Amino acid sequence: MRAHDPVLLGRTGLTVSRLGLGLASIGGLFRPVPQGQALETVRRARELGIRLFDTAPVYGYGLSETRTGTALRDEPRDAYVLCTKVGRLIEPGGPDTQPIWADPPPGRGARLDYSYAGVMRSLEGSLDRLGLNSVDVLHIHDPEQDFPRSVGDAYRALDDLRRAGVVRAVSLGVNHADVAVRFLREAPAPGPDCVMLAGRWSLLDQSGLTELLPLCQERGVAVLAAGVLQSGLLVDPGPGAPHGYERVPPALAARVSTVHEVCARHGVPPMAAALQFPFGHPAVTAVVVGARSPAEIEESAALLARPVPGGLWSGLRNADVIPSCWQPPPGA
């Protein structure tokens, strides 16, 4: 499977690449990224044929969107699919700040707002930072922060924008599979077109399989699998690494160790297995990974295309790392 392989994004009519670039890192996630390096990373992704890019207002409090718009400015608009999010307004003194952003604009922060007017203001600010007059996919970001208003006012705003052609697809950006299931069941028809699911359909956490992935498959809702490296836990499980754990819980550490042991037996980098695993469910359209340098997105593209022997997947299945219903991705 190649990073640039084209695939339809569910029922949206949009064509994306199998690998997408998540743009939190170039917004200064955990540590600063120089401006030039951030732009080179996005542009290198385009050179590799990647056409799916995902950003958000909260990523560096506008920094990621601004850099994304600059990097893609000279690209034909139909050459890429751009996603951003609503649910947080970026404004002076915004109180919903997060310590994970290394170099946010001074004096600015986020404020939760899932109201109809807030969604419209959020998109207006995003378009201004991106230098565009439309986006392709608009996610409701972390709808559990105010679920009644998210499934009510925010969804209604996105549905109106979809009907007006300002956005092509309505989506959710979630870290919790059960939240997405509830949203899909409660939102008025036609409902979201896709779901970006972070960290819940991976080698380390498959809670998305319980209800969400079958529901998405049944309804034709495309799934974008993000967080498949668990913030680097599969790459560097040591303390102090940017996966967010001061001390990795013992059960999770044991699972990471098992993945490394099975991969080592078959001569496969754990990252390759992690990037290819999500495609074992037919609801998954693309995998979205972060990168803070051209070398990082080059590595992800190469590992996605790396041949993986069937014995690896059998070994992971026998070790109870992946479910028995899982099927090898096409071409694996």
Side-chain angles (χ1 to χ4, degrees):
M1 185 179 301
R2 298 170 301 176
H4 62 273
D5 285 344
V7 60
L8 286 173
L9 184 64
R11 62 195 180 209
T12 67
L14 295 166
T15 299
V16 298
S17 50
R18 284 294 192 180
L19 185 66
L21 179 61
L23 298 160
S25 295
I26 70 164
L29 181 64
F30 300 125
R31 60 184 188 270
V33 176
Q35 169 87 356
Q37 182 176 312
L39 302 184
E40 289 168 8
T41 301
V42 177
R43 289 167 179 159
R44 182 57 182 143
R46 281 294 304 125
E47 290 172 356
L48 293 168
I50 292 169
R51 54 179 288 125
L52 174 62
F53 297 88
D54 182 79
T55 184
V58 76
Y59 295 168
Y61 309 140
L63 183 61
S64 173
E65 288 185 320
T66 300
R67 287 176 165 180
T68 300
T70 301
L72 294 174
R73 184 168 298 155
D74 295 329
E75 292 285 335
R77 187 60 188 88
D78 60 357
Y80 62 90
V81 169
L82 183 64
C83 319
T84 193
K85 304 178 180 73
V86 297
R88 292 176 175 90
L89 291 170
I90 307 305
E91 56 191 22
D96 185 36
T97 55
Q98 303 167 328
I100 58 176
W101 305 111
D103 55 352
R108 297 184 70 78
R111 177 173 61 82
L112 292 173
D113 191 336
Y114 295 86
S115 68
Y116 189 101
V119 165
M120 294 301 187
R121 280 186 56 201
S122 178
L123 179 58
E124 182 181 3
S126 291
L127 293 176
D128 183 61
R129 289 185 288 269
L130 292 163
L132 298 173
N133 56 21
S134 67
V135 295
D136 299 299
V137 181
L138 194 56
H139 308 285
I140 300 176
H141 202 182
D142 298 332
E144 74 279 2
Q145 296 286 342
D146 186 350
F147 189 87
R149 190 162 285 179
S150 293
V151 79
D153 290 351
Y155 172 75
R156 183 166 56 87
L158 265 63
D159 189 38
D160 285 350
L161 290 165
R162 176 171 54 189
R163 294 174 191 277
V166 179
V167 303
R168 295 280 299 277
V170 170
S171 184
L172 307 175
V174 294
N175 296 300
H176 306 285
D178 58 337
V179 171
V181 168
R182 183 183 172 194
F183 199 107
L184 290 175
R185 295 196 187 283
E186 295 187 18
D193 302 294
C194 28
V195 172
M196 174 168 280
L197 180 64
R200 300 298 176 259
W201 180 234
S202 72
L203 289 177
L204 302 184
D205 185 329
Q206 289 141 32
S207 52
L209 183 61
T210 305
E211 286 189 82
L212 180 59
L213 292 176
L215 180 63
C216 288
Q217 184 181 6
E218 173 190 323
R219 296 194 175 187
V221 174
V223 175
L224 304 173
V228 299
L229 302 178
Q230 303 288 149
S231 298
L233 184 58
L234 276 170
V235 181
D236 181 6
H243 47 63
Y245 292 101
E246 288 296 325
R247 181 172 180 272
V248 179
L252 185 56
R255 192 174 183 88
V256 172
S257 178
T258 299
V259 170
H260 278 259
E261 289 170 6
V262 175
C263 286
R265 271 203 312 271
H266 294 276
V268 174
M271 266 185 70
L275 288 166
Q276 295 181 37
F277 164 81
F279 293 105
H281 195 284
V284 175
T285 295
V287 164
V288 178
V289 297
R292 61 182 67 250
S293 69
E296 288 187 2
I297 192 60
E298 289 169 1
E299 180 183 30
S300 291
L303 291 174
L304 181 63
R306 183 186 175 115
V308 172
L312 171 74
W313 304 118
S314 299
L316 291 173
R317 188 182 290 111
N318 293 338
D320 293 325
V321 171
I322 62 177
S324 58
C325 64
W326 185 91
Q327 295 295 319

